[in-house]
Amino acid sequence: MSTATMNKPAHATGSGVNFARSLHSEWIKFTTLRSTWILLATTIVVMIGIGLLGAWGMGSGMESIRESGQDPAAMGMDESMLYMMATGGIDFGQLIIGALGVLLIASEYSTGMIRSTMTAVPGRLSPLAAKAVVVAAVAAVVGIVSSFATYFLSQPILASYGLDYGLDVENFVQSLLLSGVYLALVALMGLAVGSLLRNSAGGIVTLVALLLVLPIVASILQFDWIQDGVVPYLPSNAGRQMLALEIADGDLTQLQGGLVMAAWTAVLLAAAAVTTKSRDV
Amino acid sequence: MIEAHGLVKVYGKKPAVQGISFTVQPGKVTGFLGPNGAGKSTTMRMIMGLDRPTSGDVKVNGKHYAAHKAPLREVGALLDAKAVHSSRSAYNHLRAMAATHGIPTKRVQEVIDLTGLGAVAKKRVGGFSLGMGQRLGIAAALLGDPQTIILDEPVNGLDPEGVLWVRNLVRSLAAEGRTVFLSSHLMSEMAQTADHLLVIGRGKIIADASMQDFLNGQNLVRSRVRTDNPEALIRALAAHGVSVDTRDAALLEITGVDPRDIARAALEQQVLVYELTPLQASLEEVYMDLTKDEVEYHSQNIDTQPALLEQSGQPALPAELAPAGTTGREGK
């Protein structure tokens, strides 16, 4: 072996680090892990699968009610519930996408990769920001693709019950698109939590607690100030308002809900940025 | 060039590095020695901007590491542990590193070939042996063709061919005028590789000298002497504060005094000397002597039977611990 290939003591040749390059590097890292593809594929399959199962269940349920001579709407099964099935898989999908966000950064700490990352781009915030862009963009695409696929695939099923519907339902397309925004925000929260805790398992548990456990616990506590002042503003509750087709009196609107969830995400990301900058790697 | 000024790092309440200053010059291989826990890796992490110094500062090629526009083209480092995602292939790892600086894929292939990783480059790093992991770390360090190279224990786990390759590599990098800063616990390897030594113990620099000065200057000048009258010679040298090992009736190893002084003492005392050979102290001996009070994690000496020790062909114990016969030791 020789060192013939490196005989010029080359100094910086104007080809240093910039954000686009950092982004390119993070994209390579993201796409060259098998776990990424497994988690993304699982998310899509789970979201579509749950949506289709829901549509089928609703369809057959409504049909049997109608056959028994009753009105499904009177029993609380109206068509707006049917429409919500297009994004019905998001409760499960968010957990997988959130885990992906956590793993993206926490696995770098657990494997030591972070030291390579932070020596290549010593600005520290740049790799975190690049990861955020990558995971948010991918999560958004996954959410939108899954929601539209669920809609189109569920129509033949629903048609057999005469329940198929068009994209012109009020706020429907908006809701399908915003499901991507919801998943992007979940992925960013996962990234922030993973960066704060630097631990995959701890990060995922924390994220599940935040998205799933906290709303359940809060809804059990029957104090008015909790029900009115806390429950609607929890990240997953607020975020789900983005997917709503109609807004009940007193509830957060789609925009308000999205902004509340975005605020949670921004706070977590800011905390992650501060600790990334200040802590030793 | 690496310049550290009053570098301090405290973890919680435990000081890891206690105000060290040093300069690592270009064109030389500088060895960084010290017992476990002495602060070597912490110092290297501070150089690379991974750990923030509690106080003091350290610059590489004239700037703080993080201030460089193209850090990988300035400084390449292999730090102690594997710094690679175990599920990614070596090739993709290097490609991702290269992308941060717009380094072409051609260069990735070059460092893979250079470090002999070709056969395993597309395999997951998690399955690599320690030696293959080290080769990947060295490949990553060389990726940007940097002016300064920092290698923490690069030969750890390498096969003999790999050890020789690293030695030749770092020597040729230094010969090209680059700065090479290298830590290792293998004294024989260090003795063959380094031009200059920096020894750290309990977070303080305890030696900063060229290899030759280091070996000569530690009061470990040693000579082999054959004489008819050892007692008279030892008595004559006692005033010089020497230590003497009696190997057999006529053969002495005298440490701590110049051969010329031995000859003069022999002449004055009219003692017949028929061999006087200066012995070069080994790096290991000098190092052990220097750091014996600085070792943080002492191993217990196993109470071995002397006969057993000889049988097993153990390397000589450090001069200080060697079983001494007639000893005219004073001073020190």
Side-chain angles (χ1 to χ4, degrees):
Chain A
M1 277 176 261
S2 79
T3 56
T5 46
M6 14 185 293
N7 46 15
K8 53 168 177 56
H11 256 263
T13 49
S15 40
V17 181
N18 57 39
F19 188 70
R21 285 178 169 160
S22 188
L23 198 59
H24 182 210
S25 174
E26 291 301 334
W27 177 252
I28 293 173
K29 287 199 267 178
F30 184 74
T31 52
T32 52
L33 286 180
R34 199 185 308 163
S35 58
T36 302
W37 297 107
I38 294 173
L39 288 175
L40 290 180
T42 311
T43 308
I44 294 173
V45 168
V46 163
M47 283 181 65
I48 295 175
I50 290 177
L52 293 185
L53 275 175
W56 178 54
M58 290 283 288
S60 66
M62 284 167 83
E63 187 180 56
S64 58
I65 292 171
R66 229 181 268 134
E67 278 167 359
S68 68
Q70 290 170 291
D71 178 13
M75 305 184 69
M77 283 180 94
D78 61 17
E79 288 181 342
S80 70
M81 289 184 72
L82 200 60
Y83 305 147
M84 289 305 289
M85 282 301 143
T87 53
I90 209 163
D91 286 326
F92 287 90
Q94 67 174 350
L95 300 181
I96 309 174
I97 283 288
L100 180 68
V102 172
L103 287 173
L104 194 60
I105 184 86
S107 71
E108 289 213 5
Y109 281 99
S110 64
T111 58
M113 178 67 201
I114 194 74
R115 287 195 289 274
S116 291
T117 302
M118 294 303 190
T119 46
V121 188
R124 299 219 178 164
L125 293 187
S126 185
L128 185 66
K131 278 186 164 61
V133 170
V134 167
V135 80
V138 169
V141 169
V142 164
I144 293 168
V145 165
S146 302
S147 298
F148 274 94
T150 307
Y151 165 76
F152 285 111
L153 292 172
S154 64
Q155 292 315 302
I157 300 172
L158 292 172
S160 64
Y161 305 108
L163 288 168
D164 52 327
Y165 57 94
L167 285 169
D168 54 352
V169 172
E170 197 186 359
N171 292 335
F172 186 66
V173 170
Q174 167 191 304
S175 140
L176 297 187
L177 292 173
L178 287 176
S179 71
V181 175
Y182 180 85
L183 284 191
L185 290 173
V186 169
L188 289 175
M189 289 171 74
L191 181 71
V193 170
S195 177
L196 285 166
L197 297 182
R198 300 183 167 194
N199 177 298
S200 303
I204 292 172
V205 168
T206 304
L207 189 69
V208 170
L210 195 60
L211 293 177
L212 221 61
V213 180
L214 205 56
I216 294 171
V217 171
S219 68
I220 293 170
L221 301 172
Q222 292 296 331
F223 300 103
D224 282 349
W225 67 271
I226 290 181
Q227 294 309 316
D228 300 337
V230 176
V231 172
Y233 300 100
L234 292 174
S236 51
N237 288 349
R240 284 303 295 269
Q241 286 301 110
M242 285 191 283
L243 310 184
L245 300 178
E246 13 186 320
I247 301 295
D249 277 350
D251 282 357
L252 297 177
T253 65
Q254 289 93 337
L255 179 64
Q256 288 168 339
L259 288 177
V260 169
M261 190 184 188
W264 278 90
T265 309
V267 168
L268 286 170
L269 277 176
V274 168
T275 55
T276 301
K277 196 81 182 159
S278 64
R279 281 195 290 191
D280 289 340
V281 177
Chain B
M1 174 119 86
I2 303 170
E3 301 151 288
H5 295 287
L7 209 50
V8 176
K9 182 67 190 182
V10 182
Y11 293 112
K13 283 188 180 149
K14 187 176 158 54
V17 172
Q18 311 188 23
I20 61 173
S21 301
F22 60 86
T23 303
V24 180
Q25 300 283 357
K28 285 187 214 167
V29 177
T30 301
F32 196 22
L33 302 179
N36 289 335
K40 293 189 301 294
S41 296
T42 303
T43 302
M44 287 181 162
R45 280 202 301 274
M46 287 193 281
I47 296 171
M48 299 305 292
L50 293 175
D51 280 14
R52 200 176 297 270
T54 307
S55 68
D57 80 342
V58 56
K59 290 179 178 166
V60 213
N61 302 353
K63 287 182 186 174
H64 291 133
Y65 180 80
H68 284 292
K69 292 252 185 314
L72 289 187
R73 294 182 193 273
E74 294 286 340
V75 188
L78 161 70
L79 297 181
D80 51 353
K82 261 188 204 174
V84 181
H85 198 301
S86 45
S87 306
R88 198 173 283 123
S89 73
Y91 174 74
N92 283 327
H93 170 71
L94 293 172
R95 210 159 55 91
M97 292 295 97
T100 58
H101 285 59
I103 295 168
T105 313
K106 188 168 113 300
R107 176 65 186 164
V108 171
Q109 200 53 54
E110 268 173 27
V111 295
I112 285 174
D113 294 341
L114 183 71
T115 51
L117 280 172
V120 293
K122 300 282 168 86
K123 296 210 170 92
R124 289 171 67 249
V125 175
F128 278 22
S129 66
L130 183 55
M132 280 302 173
Q134 293 289 69
R135 285 169 188 269
L136 176 56
I138 295 170
L142 297 177
L143 202 54
D145 198 15
Q147 174 62 26
T148 296
I149 294 106
I150 297 173
L151 304 172
D152 195 0
E153 301 279 351
V155 298
N156 192 10
L158 284 183
D159 53 18
E161 188 271 341
V163 171
L164 180 64
W165 169 69
V166 169
R167 189 195 308 157
N168 291 335
L169 174 74
V170 298
R171 295 225 51 87
S172 67
L173 290 170
E176 288 165 15
R178 299 177 206 244
T179 307
V180 181
F181 193 40
L182 173 80
S183 86
S184 178
H185 287 303
L186 295 178
M187 290 300 146
S188 54
E189 190 48 40
M190 195 57 105
Q192 295 182 70
T193 312
D195 307 299
H196 194 94
L197 290 176
L198 202 57
V199 183
I200 187 170
R202 289 183 193 262
K204 290 182 180 144
I205 299 287
I206 52 179
D208 183 352
S210 74
M211 180 70 80
Q212 208 49 54
D213 289 352
F214 186 78
L215 293 179
N216 292 341
Q218 298 299 324
N219 206 28
L220 280 174
V221 194
R222 207 153 40 121
S223 307
R224 189 165 62 222
V225 181
R226 275 178 213 275
T227 172
D228 284 348
N229 192 351
E231 288 80 13
L233 186 61
I234 290 165
R235 236 178 292 120
L237 289 170
H240 291 272
V242 298
S243 75
V244 181
D245 282 359
T246 308
R247 291 299 160 104
D248 64 38
L251 178 62
L252 303 174
E253 258 187 39
I254 301 177
T255 309
V257 62
D258 198 56
R260 173 182 290 271
D261 294 334
I262 298 174
R264 183 176 295 124
L267 183 65
E268 283 166 4
Q269 300 296 316
Q270 298 287 302
V271 175
L272 177 68
V273 168
Y274 55 97
E275 182 187 347
L276 177 55
T277 311
L279 299 175
Q280 174 80 288
S282 75
L283 177 59
E284 180 169 78
E285 287 168 325
V286 180
Y287 170 81
M288 293 297 254
D289 184 57
L290 189 65
T291 58
K292 61 183 186 294
D293 303 323
E294 310 290 343
V295 176
E296 188 158 0
Y297 304 102
H298 267 293
S299 9
Q300 300 264 308
N301 279 322
I302 298 169
D303 200 6
T304 324
Q305 305 261 325
L308 207 66
L309 200 70
E310 281 162 34
Q311 268 175 9
S312 64
Q314 287 278 329
L317 288 167
E320 296 290 327
L321 302 174
T326 324
T327 306
R329 163 181 299 196
E330 280 171 25
K332 226 189 154 192

Short mmCIF file of all heavy atoms in Angstrom, two decimals, chain A residues 218-243:
data_model
loop_
_atom_site.label_atom_id
_atom_site.label_comp_id
_atom_site.label_asym_id
_atom_site.label_seq_id
_atom_site.Cartn_x
_atom_site.Cartn_y
_atom_site.Cartn_z
N ALA A 218 -54.99 12.89 30.90
CA ALA A 218 -55.64 14.19 31.09
C ALA A 218 -57.15 14.08 30.92
O ALA A 218 -57.91 14.74 31.64
CB ALA A 218 -55.06 15.20 30.10
N SER A 219 -57.59 13.22 30.01
CA SER A 219 -59.03 13.14 29.77
C SER A 219 -59.74 12.45 30.93
O SER A 219 -60.94 12.61 31.12
CB SER A 219 -59.30 12.38 28.46
OG SER A 219 -58.95 11.03 28.62
N ILE A 220 -58.98 11.69 31.73
CA ILE A 220 -59.59 11.03 32.88
C ILE A 220 -59.82 12.01 34.02
O ILE A 220 -60.77 11.89 34.78
CB ILE A 220 -58.67 9.86 33.37
CG1 ILE A 220 -58.64 8.76 32.29
CG2 ILE A 220 -59.16 9.29 34.69
CD1 ILE A 220 -57.60 7.70 32.54
N LEU A 221 -58.92 13.00 34.11
CA LEU A 221 -59.01 13.95 35.23
C LEU A 221 -60.16 14.93 34.97
O LEU A 221 -60.04 15.82 34.14
CB LEU A 221 -57.69 14.70 35.37
CG LEU A 221 -56.47 13.81 35.64
CD1 LEU A 221 -55.18 14.62 35.57
CD2 LEU A 221 -56.60 13.10 36.97
N GLN A 222 -61.25 14.73 35.69
CA GLN A 222 -62.45 15.52 35.40
C GLN A 222 -62.47 16.85 36.14
O GLN A 222 -63.34 17.10 36.98
CB GLN A 222 -63.70 14.69 35.71
CG GLN A 222 -63.91 13.52 34.78
CD GLN A 222 -64.14 13.95 33.33
OE1 GLN A 222 -64.67 15.03 33.07
NE2 GLN A 222 -63.73 13.11 32.37
N PHE A 223 -61.51 17.68 35.87
CA PHE A 223 -61.56 19.05 36.38
C PHE A 223 -61.80 19.95 35.18
O PHE A 223 -61.18 19.74 34.13
CB PHE A 223 -60.25 19.44 37.06
CG PHE A 223 -59.89 18.57 38.23
CD1 PHE A 223 -58.93 17.58 38.11
CD2 PHE A 223 -60.54 18.74 39.46
CE1 PHE A 223 -58.60 16.78 39.19
CE2 PHE A 223 -60.21 17.94 40.54
CZ PHE A 223 -59.25 16.95 40.41
N ASP A 224 -62.63 20.94 35.35
CA ASP A 224 -62.95 21.79 34.21
C ASP A 224 -61.70 22.44 33.62
O ASP A 224 -61.53 22.52 32.40
CB ASP A 224 -63.94 22.90 34.64
CG ASP A 224 -65.34 22.32 34.74
OD1 ASP A 224 -65.53 21.16 34.28
OD2 ASP A 224 -66.22 23.00 35.28
N TRP A 225 -60.82 22.91 34.52
CA TRP A 225 -59.65 23.63 34.00
C TRP A 225 -58.74 22.70 33.20
O TRP A 225 -58.07 23.13 32.28
CB TRP A 225 -58.89 24.35 35.12
CG TRP A 225 -58.20 23.43 36.12
CD1 TRP A 225 -58.76 22.93 37.26
CD2 TRP A 225 -56.88 22.94 36.07
NE1 TRP A 225 -57.86 22.15 37.92
CE2 TRP A 225 -56.68 22.13 37.21
CE3 TRP A 225 -55.82 23.10 35.16
CZ2 TRP A 225 -55.48 21.48 37.46
CZ3 TRP A 225 -54.62 22.46 35.43
CH2 TRP A 225 -54.45 21.65 36.58
N ILE A 226 -58.73 21.43 33.56
CA ILE A 226 -57.92 20.49 32.77
C ILE A 226 -58.62 20.19 31.45
O ILE A 226 -58.02 20.24 30.37
CB ILE A 226 -57.66 19.18 33.55
CG1 ILE A 226 -56.71 19.47 34.71
CG2 ILE A 226 -57.10 18.10 32.63
CD1 ILE A 226 -56.37 18.27 35.55
N GLN A 227 -59.94 19.93 31.53
CA GLN A 227 -60.68 19.58 30.32
C GLN A 227 -60.71 20.73 29.31
O GLN A 227 -60.61 20.51 28.11
CB GLN A 227 -62.12 19.15 30.67
CG GLN A 227 -62.19 17.85 31.47
CD GLN A 227 -61.39 16.71 30.82
OE1 GLN A 227 -61.46 16.50 29.62
NE2 GLN A 227 -60.63 15.99 31.62
N ASP A 228 -60.82 21.97 29.83
CA ASP A 228 -60.92 23.10 28.91
C ASP A 228 -59.57 23.75 28.64
O ASP A 228 -59.33 24.28 27.56
CB ASP A 228 -61.86 24.17 29.51
CG ASP A 228 -63.26 23.60 29.72
OD1 ASP A 228 -63.59 22.61 29.05
OD2 ASP A 228 -64.00 24.13 30.58
N GLY A 229 -58.71 23.71 29.66
CA GLY A 229 -57.47 24.49 29.55
C GLY A 229 -56.26 23.66 29.18
O GLY A 229 -55.22 24.22 28.78
N VAL A 230 -56.33 22.35 29.32
CA VAL A 230 -55.15 21.53 29.05
C VAL A 230 -55.39 20.56 27.89
O VAL A 230 -54.64 20.55 26.91
CB VAL A 230 -54.71 20.74 30.32
CG1 VAL A 230 -53.54 19.82 29.99
CG2 VAL A 230 -54.36 21.69 31.45
N VAL A 231 -56.46 19.77 28.02
CA VAL A 231 -56.68 18.69 27.05
C VAL A 231 -56.63 19.14 25.59
O VAL A 231 -55.92 18.54 24.78
CB VAL A 231 -58.00 17.94 27.36
CG1 VAL A 231 -58.34 16.95 26.26
CG2 VAL A 231 -57.90 17.22 28.70
N PRO A 232 -57.31 20.21 25.21
CA PRO A 232 -57.30 20.57 23.79
C PRO A 232 -55.93 21.02 23.30
O PRO A 232 -55.70 21.05 22.09
CB PRO A 232 -58.29 21.74 23.70
CG PRO A 232 -59.00 21.78 24.99
CD PRO A 232 -58.13 21.13 26.00
N TYR A 233 -55.06 21.40 24.25
CA TYR A 233 -53.78 21.98 23.84
C TYR A 233 -52.63 20.97 23.89
O TYR A 233 -51.49 21.31 23.63
CB TYR A 233 -53.45 23.19 24.72
CG TYR A 233 -54.50 24.25 24.61
CD1 TYR A 233 -55.50 24.39 25.58
CD2 TYR A 233 -54.54 25.10 23.50
CE1 TYR A 233 -56.49 25.34 25.46
CE2 TYR A 233 -55.53 26.05 23.37
CZ TYR A 233 -56.50 26.17 24.35
OH TYR A 233 -57.49 27.10 24.21
N LEU A 234 -52.94 19.73 24.26
CA LEU A 234 -51.90 18.71 24.21
C LEU A 234 -51.53 18.47 22.74
O LEU A 234 -52.38 18.57 21.86
CB LEU A 234 -52.39 17.42 24.86
CG LEU A 234 -52.59 17.54 26.38
CD1 LEU A 234 -53.21 16.27 26.94
CD2 LEU A 234 -51.29 17.86 27.09
N PRO A 235 -50.26 18.14 22.46
CA PRO A 235 -49.81 18.18 21.06
C PRO A 235 -50.63 17.32 20.10
O PRO A 235 -51.01 17.81 19.02
CB PRO A 235 -48.36 17.69 21.14
CG PRO A 235 -48.16 17.17 22.51
CD PRO A 235 -49.16 17.81 23.39
N SER A 236 -50.93 16.08 20.48
CA SER A 236 -51.65 15.24 19.52
C SER A 236 -53.12 15.66 19.40
O SER A 236 -53.69 15.64 18.30
CB SER A 236 -51.53 13.76 19.91
OG SER A 236 -51.89 13.57 21.26
N ASN A 237 -53.72 16.10 20.51
CA ASN A 237 -55.11 16.57 20.44
C ASN A 237 -55.23 17.80 19.55
O ASN A 237 -56.13 17.90 18.71
CB ASN A 237 -55.64 16.90 21.84
CG ASN A 237 -55.89 15.63 22.65
OD1 ASN A 237 -55.86 14.53 22.10
ND2 ASN A 237 -56.11 15.79 23.93
N ALA A 238 -54.34 18.76 19.77
CA ALA A 238 -54.38 19.99 18.98
C ALA A 238 -54.11 19.68 17.51
O ALA A 238 -54.79 20.16 16.61
CB ALA A 238 -53.37 20.99 19.52
N GLY A 239 -53.10 18.82 17.29
CA GLY A 239 -52.71 18.50 15.92
C GLY A 239 -53.81 17.80 15.15
O GLY A 239 -54.00 18.03 13.95
N ARG A 240 -54.56 16.94 15.86
CA ARG A 240 -55.63 16.22 15.18
C ARG A 240 -56.72 17.15 14.65
O ARG A 240 -57.47 16.79 13.74
CB ARG A 240 -56.27 15.18 16.12
CG ARG A 240 -55.44 13.93 16.33
CD ARG A 240 -55.11 13.23 15.03
NE ARG A 240 -56.29 12.72 14.36
CZ ARG A 240 -56.79 11.51 14.52
NH1 ARG A 240 -56.19 10.67 15.32
NH2 ARG A 240 -57.87 11.13 13.88
N GLN A 241 -56.82 18.36 15.22
CA GLN A 241 -57.80 19.33 14.72
C GLN A 241 -57.53 19.69 13.25
O GLN A 241 -58.43 20.06 12.53
CB GLN A 241 -57.79 20.60 15.58
CG GLN A 241 -58.44 20.42 16.95
CD GLN A 241 -59.91 19.99 16.84
OE1 GLN A 241 -60.24 18.85 17.17
NE2 GLN A 241 -60.77 20.89 16.37
N MET A 242 -56.26 19.56 12.83
CA MET A 242 -55.92 19.87 11.44
C MET A 242 -56.69 18.96 10.48
O MET A 242 -56.93 19.31 9.34
CB MET A 242 -54.41 19.68 11.20
CG MET A 242 -53.55 20.78 11.77
SD MET A 242 -51.83 20.64 11.18
CE MET A 242 -51.22 19.30 12.18
N LEU A 243 -56.99 17.73 10.97
CA LEU A 243 -57.63 16.75 10.10
C LEU A 243 -59.16 16.85 10.13
O LEU A 243 -59.85 16.17 9.38
CB LEU A 243 -57.21 15.33 10.49
CG LEU A 243 -55.70 15.11 10.66
CD1 LEU A 243 -55.42 13.65 10.97
CD2 LEU A 243 -54.93 15.55 9.42
#
